[in-house]
Amino acid sequence: MCTAKAMADTYEANRTHCKYVHSTSRGHEAIQLATAFHLLPCDYVSPYYRDESIMLGLGFSPYQLMLQLLAKADDMFTGGREYYNHPNYRGEDKPTIIHQSSATGMQAVPTTGVAQGLQYLEKINSALLKKGANDELPVVICSLGDASVTEGEVSEAFQFAALHQLPIIYLVQDNDWGISVTSAEARTSNAYEFIAGFKGIERTSIDGTDFESCYQCMENVISNVRKNRKPWLVHAKVPLLGHHTSGVRRDFYRWDDELETSFKNDPGPKLKQFLLDNGIAASALDEIESATAILVKADFDAAVNAAEPDPATVAHHVFAAPAIVSEKGNRSPENKEKVLMVDAALFAIREIMETYPEAVLYGQDVGRRLGGVFREAATLAEQFGDHRVFNTAIQEAYIIGSTVGMSAVGVKPIVEVQFADYIYPGINQLVTEISKSCYLSCGKFPVQTLIRVPIGAYGGGGPYHSGSVESTLLTIKGIKIVYPSNAADMKGLMKSAFLDPNPVVMLEHKGLYWSKVPGTEEAKTTEPDRDYVIPLGKGKIVQEASVEMIDRGESCCIVTYGMGIYWSKAASKSFPGAIDIIDLRTLYPLDEQLIFETVKKHGKCLIVTEEQQNNSFAEALAGRIAKNCFRWLDAAPEVLGALNLPAVPMNLLLEKEMLPNEEKIKQVLNKLIYS
């Protein structure tokens, strides 16, 4: 406690050096230290940004924490990329800490995913399950401020933990504030009262400033979860003695009498008096205060003088190295029947689950009863069991965000969002947690997850089952996006996406699943062999123009993907020998080399997308082509997308009018080639 106080005082006295926004644990020290002292190296903990005392209690030094405070090169957590006390750690001597973000309450879902992953590893008796020196089972701590419990995603985590009885402890530190918002202004109940609505989560509420009672409470709760494997919530009442952050100072919004009352509950003087009452000499306590002040000053001076990060490293660790770098296996084996795209996906998942016992599949309606609304998971639960293929509630944030924790413990999650239109509740987790994890952990926690998303319009699906979301997803850096257009690519890309150590979103056009849309029969292909893989980021020319037409200057390149392949093939029949068609297959990483080389060959280019055209990925790609191929272009790159409407209308005639089609593409090609 003396160390934490000395650190806070040092930061306040050196605000010129401490220029990056930070919080401290002042007022929260007792419950944080009591928690840390009971954890084992096999455990997992997600501290939130005010939990520096947890870090001290786990054995991290002030110097190690200060390097992050000052964003120095040797910051062991993030290399100068993250705020103070946003740790991550993977080692044999301390509990594992997955990447921690600033987004309030967002750690609840990934950390519950850790507990979900541990439960699965226990179920299959996996060697991946870390245990203590005496065979103790791991527990998970998710630390939260009470104001964060109002977040909807925290409730999703509570719901899943209660339903599945996960070995997790939600430690909620209640200081009555959410920046300047008081608890009375923001919530009807505290976390202890709120959690009563989630049947199956045990709860306790304690004075978080009394170290002795905190120590005994956490000893009992952690021991209980370690043995009984059921969730708990610990609500600890604490004062906020420091600023919300260095940037939002307490004197901006708190009155003197409020601060005076809070300081009466400072856990430091309480512990000192307890020790004096129990026979510890005052001189011994004075020596601790003096020694910690000297240590903190020395560590701070050293941290101030530590090296700054090398700017050349700024782009390191965006992704882990890919597992698949070349196309392998037999794409078109003899004596094999053609399969539908939906079956190619099913067969790929089946083979993955046969090979990798740590692979699991979950999402809405993918379980035994239905096997997916498109039957894309049919029979998998029967073959592999309900513990490996199972339904979730309608919780897109949990479905997506839990994969962070699952991946961290060695489980390999495949999850499904039922329709692209419903991915938006999960975007928060995708942006805040998944996409940043590898980069901000300096490569320690890439998230290996495959997120399947049926997408696209056909047959009157209407405004909430027909949307295209690739441009939205492509603004998120740190994820990969795949979009197959036929069964062979579906299987080869599915395998590669699963094996990639990074997050991959696989967009699967539901209009191509069954080849029911006229003109999409070629989406049905021979099923590739079991070992067939396609590296992500490699497009393919699926139709080639003749040399004669290219030499005559009467040719054009179409760049497209998904359903655009089939509209383009149909339109190209009116221009025999004149059209190259590139199937991008992967939208990120993008095969720019193939695109630019092909465009330069023709001097003319059309990009076809099913998305609404304005401000789309396709328009951005047109700009890149114009810049990189300018000297070879005979005309500006054209883009054809859907009409710029808020949604795909239900009526079939209106749907057709909105979307690109063969005739619309022919009109643009006529203009490009013959104008």
Side-chain angles (χ1 to χ4, degrees):
M1 286 194 194
C2 291
T3 303
K5 182 179 185 302
M7 291 165 69
D9 291 345
T10 299
Y11 303 161
E12 186 66 10
N14 293 274
R15 290 172 61 188
T16 303
H17 289 301
C18 304
K19 58 188 175 183
Y20 301 112
V21 172
H22 58 272
S23 297
T24 72
S25 58
R26 288 291 287 120
H28 294 227
E29 299 97 329
I31 184 60
Q32 291 184 19
L33 290 168
T35 300
F37 291 158
H38 291 295
L39 295 178
L40 303 176
C42 65
D43 294 329
Y44 293 77
V45 57
S46 287
Y48 86 115
Y49 53 78
R50 204 177 298 285
D51 281 353
E52 69 184 353
S53 285
I54 283 184
M55 300 298 289
L56 293 171
L58 293 175
F60 293 96
S61 70
Y63 178 68
Q64 289 171 319
L65 301 184
M66 290 169 180
L67 288 173
Q68 188 175 48
L69 171 84
L70 303 175
K72 296 292 188 170
D74 290 334
D75 160 26
M76 66 183 295
F77 306 119
T78 71
R81 296 171 177 181
E82 260 281 28
Y83 300 104
Y84 180 57
N85 208 66
H86 286 61
N88 58 82
Y89 186 76
R90 192 189 287 277
E92 298 301 319
D93 61 329
K94 296 179 180 68
T96 300
I97 305 172
I98 62 174
H99 157 69
Q100 300 300 304
S101 73
S102 290
T104 304
M106 293 306 98
Q107 73 271 36
V109 166
T111 310
T112 304
V114 170
Q116 180 188 348
L118 293 178
Q119 185 184 70
Y120 176 72
L121 294 178
E122 287 179 58
K123 175 86 174 176
I124 65 171
N125 196 26
S126 173
L128 294 172
L129 181 68
K130 292 198 311 178
K131 293 185 180 181
N134 298 310
D135 251 11
E136 298 97 336
L137 289 171
V139 301
V140 181
I141 302 284
C142 179
S143 181
L144 301 156
D146 198 60
S148 71
V149 176
T150 57
E151 285 276 7
E153 291 178 29
V154 176
S155 291
E156 289 194 21
F158 288 166
Q159 181 76 28
F160 198 94
L163 181 65
H164 293 275
Q165 292 292 280
L166 302 181
I168 187 169
I169 300 162
Y170 299 102
L171 172 61
V172 180
Q173 300 170 60
D174 183 359
N175 62 29
D176 269 332
W177 292 96
I179 308 185
S180 69
V181 181
T182 65
S183 57
E185 293 176 88
R187 48 196 188 272
T188 61
S189 57
N190 64 34
Y192 175 78
E193 297 159 341
F194 181 65
I195 205 67
F198 296 87
K199 296 179 181 179
I201 298 182
E202 299 291 332
R203 60 179 180 150
T204 187
S205 185
I206 60 172
D207 177 359
T209 67
D210 183 333
F211 179 78
E212 183 187 24
S213 62
C214 287
Y215 189 88
Q216 292 173 349
C217 172
M218 294 312 297
E219 182 177 40
N220 293 336
V221 172
I222 290 173
S223 175
N224 185 291
V225 175
R226 206 178 292 287
K227 178 181 178 181
N228 297 319
R229 321 305 287 157
K230 294 183 178 181
W232 273 76
L233 182 137
V234 176
H235 171 256
K237 199 73 179 68
V238 293
L240 177 61
L241 302 184
H243 308 293
H244 168 69
T245 67
S246 57
V248 183
R249 303 177 62 76
R250 65 193 183 194
D251 42 297
F252 292 176
Y253 61 92
R254 295 182 69 182
W255 320 137
D256 290 342
D257 58 331
E258 293 174 335
L259 287 169
E260 183 179 348
T261 300
S262 292
F263 271 95
K264 290 178 181 178
N265 284 314
D266 187 339
K270 282 189 174 185
L271 178 59
K272 185 172 184 178
Q273 188 59 52
F274 172 83
L275 296 172
L276 291 169
D277 292 345
N278 282 272
I280 305 298
S283 59
L285 301 180
D286 291 343
E287 175 59 28
I288 291 173
E289 292 181 11
S290 175
T292 53
I294 292 171
L295 168 69
V296 166
K297 183 180 187 309
D299 278 6
F300 184 75
D301 290 344
V304 168
N305 292 314
E308 298 289 338
D310 180 354
T313 66
V314 69
H316 293 182
H317 304 299
V318 176
F319 292 109
I324 306 300
V325 295
S326 61
E327 187 170 356
K328 296 179 181 178
N330 192 342
R331 181 182 176 92
S332 303
E334 295 180 5
N335 303 319
K336 267 205 170 184
E337 294 183 358
K338 288 188 175 182
V339 295
L340 296 164
M341 270 185 69
V342 71
D343 289 335
L346 175 66
F347 299 157
I349 299 294
R350 176 182 295 155
E351 291 170 2
I352 286 168
M353 299 191 80
E354 288 170 347
T355 305
Y356 298 94
E358 62 271 30
V360 296
L361 170 66
Y362 57 97
Q364 296 166 32
D365 297 303
V366 301
R368 182 184 299 264
R369 287 179 179 269
L370 184 60
V373 294
F374 300 102
R375 303 292 287 159
E376 71 281 5
T379 73
L380 293 178
E382 288 89 340
Q383 181 174 352
F384 298 106
D386 296 328
H387 64 299
R388 295 190 67 189
V389 181
F390 56 91
N391 293 328
T392 66
I394 304 172
Q395 294 182 326
E396 287 84 2
Y398 188 86
I399 291 168
I400 290 174
S402 61
T403 65
V404 176
M406 295 281 275
S407 174
V409 302
V411 180
K412 298 181 184 297
I414 306 167
V415 298
E416 182 174 313
V417 173
Q418 200 164 79
F419 290 92
D421 308 76
Y422 301 136
I423 199 171
Y424 295 101
I427 291 288
N428 201 1
Q429 288 291 325
L430 201 58
V431 172
T432 303
E433 308 298 332
I434 290 179
S435 69
K436 293 178 172 62
S437 184
C438 187
Y439 182 68
L440 293 180
S441 68
C442 291
K444 293 191 289 296
F445 288 97
V447 180
Q448 182 176 10
T449 180
L450 171 54
I451 302 169
R452 298 182 62 187
V453 184
I455 193 170
Y458 85 102
Y464 295 100
H465 298 82
S466 306
S468 292
V469 298
E470 53 264 36
S471 290
T472 299
L473 295 175
L474 284 160
T475 63
I476 305 170
K477 313 310 174 189
I479 64 173
K480 299 183 179 182
I481 300 168
V482 176
Y483 203 138
S485 67
N486 59 71
D489 285 349
M490 173 71 88
K491 188 173 183 182
L493 290 169
M494 183 80 76
K495 293 284 186 75
S496 295
F498 172 81
L499 294 170
D500 199 292
N502 302 289
V504 181
V505 178
M506 191 152 189
L507 302 176
E508 306 173 17
H509 200 294
K510 59 185 190 289
L512 299 177
Y513 265 157
W514 299 90
S515 289
K516 289 183 176 179
V517 177
T520 63
E521 294 79 9
E522 290 183 15
K524 187 177 179 180
T525 70
T526 301
E527 182 193 355
D529 279 347
R530 187 185 190 94
D531 59 351
Y532 180 64
V533 289
I534 302 169
L536 305 188
K538 293 294 182 183
K540 184 178 182 180
I541 295 180
V542 295
Q543 178 175 297
E544 292 190 69
S546 69
V547 174
E548 179 186 2
M549 296 299 285
I550 295 171
D551 289 344
R552 286 167 52 182
E554 296 182 1
S555 67
C556 182
C557 165
I558 298 180
V559 181
T560 187
Y561 55 95
M563 188 65 80
I565 297 297
Y566 301 96
W567 293 326
S568 299
K569 283 185 175 181
S572 70
K573 291 177 181 178
S574 298
F575 305 87
I579 309 297
D580 268 358
I581 300 176
I582 295 177
D583 186 346
L584 293 176
R585 304 199 295 190
T586 304
L587 305 187
Y588 193 89
L590 185 65
D591 194 345
E592 291 186 347
Q593 180 179 353
L594 176 64
I595 295 168
F596 296 159
E597 287 177 355
T598 309
V599 171
K600 289 174 183 178
K601 184 170 64 174
H602 294 275
K604 295 179 279 290
C605 171
L606 167 62
I607 304 165
V608 177
T609 177
E610 186 172 323
E611 282 195 294
Q612 291 92 326
Q613 183 168 325
N614 282 9
N615 304 314
S616 64
F617 155 69
E619 286 199 333
L621 178 56
R624 243 180 294 172
I625 291 171
K627 179 179 179 180
N628 287 276
C629 303
F630 183 76
R631 290 172 52 202
W632 291 267
L633 290 174
D634 297 321
E638 289 280 355
V639 177
L640 178 64
L643 300 182
N644 297 300
L645 305 175
V648 180
M650 178 77 77
N651 180 274
L652 288 172
L653 293 176
L654 297 177
E655 178 190 79
K656 181 179 179 182
E657 183 63 22
M658 178 189 182
L659 297 177
N661 57 37
E662 173 187 345
E663 290 304 317
K664 293 179 181 179
I665 293 172
K666 284 164 61 175
Q667 291 175 19
V668 180
L669 289 175
N670 264 312
K671 174 185 171 185
L672 267 174
I673 295 173
Y674 299 119
S675 292

